[in-house]
Every structure is written in C-alpha cells, then in structure tokens.
Amino acid sequence: MKKLFWIIPALLLLMGNVANAQTKEEMEASQARYEKLVKLCKKEPKKTNIPEVDTYVTSVYTSAVAAAATTEQLQGLYYRQIGESKDGVTDVTVKKPTLEELTSLSATIAAQAVSITSAAKSAEAAVQASKGEKNPMKVAKIAAALAFTKDAYPILVEESALQTKAIAEMIETAKTSDNL
C-alpha cells in the first residue's frame, strides 16, 4: 500500500512534465515570433497625421512591444518551471515560479488580448480613412505605416494565443504541484 501511495504523485508529476514537453516546442516557436516582433518594433512607425491610421498603427505597435516583453517574461517563468536554462541545461537550484507570479502574468496577458482586440476594431476605420488620400507623399507614409501592421498583427495574434495557452498550462502545473 505504501508503494502505491508514492506511485500516484510520481505519475501526476510525470503527467505535468509531459504537458510541458509539448509547450517546449511551442516556446521555441514563440522565441522566433518574439525575435520578429523585436525586429519590427525597433523603430516606431512614423505618424501619418490621419487620426484613424495613427490610432490603429500606434495600437498595434504598443501591443507588439508589450507582447514581446510578455513573451520574454513568460519564457523566463517557463524555463524556471521546468528547471532548465534556455539552452536546455538542467538546473535544480532554480526557484520555481509561484502561483502568484503566474496569475499576475496571466492578468497582463488578458489585458494584452483586450488591447489586440481593440486594435483590430480600429483597422477598418484606418483603411477607410486612408483610401481618400490623394497626396502621394502621404500615401507613401500611410502605406509604410500599414505595412508595419500587416507584418506585426498576425505575429501578435499568434503570440498572444500561445501566451494564453502557455500561462494556463503553467498555472495548472503549479496548482497540481502544490497538491503533491
């Protein structure tokens, strides 16, 4: 009976690690998206002086910068949770993230999702406002600003979805490990 008592927690621990094993590949894909976002956000797109376009572009830019920072924080917590460095070296001295740290980041990710949704709602207005412009110089500025959003927004949406999934899994793992 005593052997059975220790087998169940060991199985639960292994199941938690299996769930994280899937996330490791996702974290590698996330790293690639993070690098793209950082590269895109090195320079803020120039203002076009069309309020609808500027609002949309600024929303996407701000969300992309926040998503990159969140990804960096999420990855740090993830590697702490699995007890490895980013290079895959096992480190048993690493302090596991607390449930409070994870829930705090979860709230940040939720707020970020709201920001991304808000940016999407302003996209149509930005496109409509830009269609009436006849000045070729302004058209070029608008095109450059909207090109940034065309590149950044899909990455932003995909990264936000991964962040939401990853933090949920990490919270579940933390809750499960507290019960062992």
Side-chain angles (χ1 to χ4, degrees):
M1 184 68 180
K2 281 187 176 180
K3 277 188 178 181
L4 185 59
F5 178 76
W6 289 106
I7 291 174
I8 293 171
L11 286 174
L12 288 173
L13 184 63
L14 285 173
M15 287 173 26
N17 286 339
V18 168
N20 279 339
Q22 177 188 5
T23 306
K24 190 165 187 168
E25 288 80 33
E26 291 172 344
M27 286 299 182
E28 289 170 359
S30 174
Q31 178 65 27
R33 285 189 299 274
Y34 163 79
E35 290 169 4
K36 288 179 185 175
L37 283 177
V38 167
K39 185 177 179 182
L40 286 169
C41 294
K42 278 188 177 183
K43 188 175 178 186
E44 186 173 0
K46 293 182 180 177
K47 299 288 182 193
T48 64
N49 294 324
I50 298 176
E52 295 86 350
V53 174
D54 290 340
T55 298
Y56 174 56
V57 172
T58 300
S59 297
V60 172
Y61 176 78
T62 304
S63 295
V65 169
T70 301
T71 294
E72 195 169 14
Q73 188 178 7
L74 180 69
Q75 288 182 351
L77 291 172
Y78 169 75
Y79 287 112
R80 279 177 44 202
Q81 189 173 47
I82 64 170
E84 286 185 3
S85 70
K86 220 174 189 178
D87 303 330
V89 177
T90 302
D91 185 358
V92 294
T93 62
V94 173
K95 179 187 168 280
K96 301 281 186 204
T98 64
L99 189 55
E100 292 78 28
E101 286 176 302
L102 295 171
T103 29
S104 173
L105 184 58
S106 178
T108 301
I109 291 169
Q112 182 179 296
V114 170
S115 172
I116 293 168
T117 303
S118 174
K121 290 178 183 175
S122 66
E124 184 61 34
V127 170
Q128 290 303 320
S130 66
K131 283 184 178 179
E133 187 56 51
K134 303 287 186 223
N135 181 340
M137 296 298 282
K138 272 196 168 184
V139 170
K141 272 186 170 181
I142 293 167
L146 292 178
F148 164 79
T149 62
K150 183 181 175 197
D151 292 340
Y153 194 79
I155 298 168
L156 185 58
V157 170
E158 191 175 354
E159 187 60 16
S160 180
L162 173 97
Q163 290 172 350
T164 302
K165 180 182 177 205
I167 197 69
E169 287 178 8
M170 290 170 69
I171 289 171
E172 188 59 37
T173 301
K175 284 180 180 177
T176 303
S177 67
D178 284 345
N179 290 331
L180 292 180

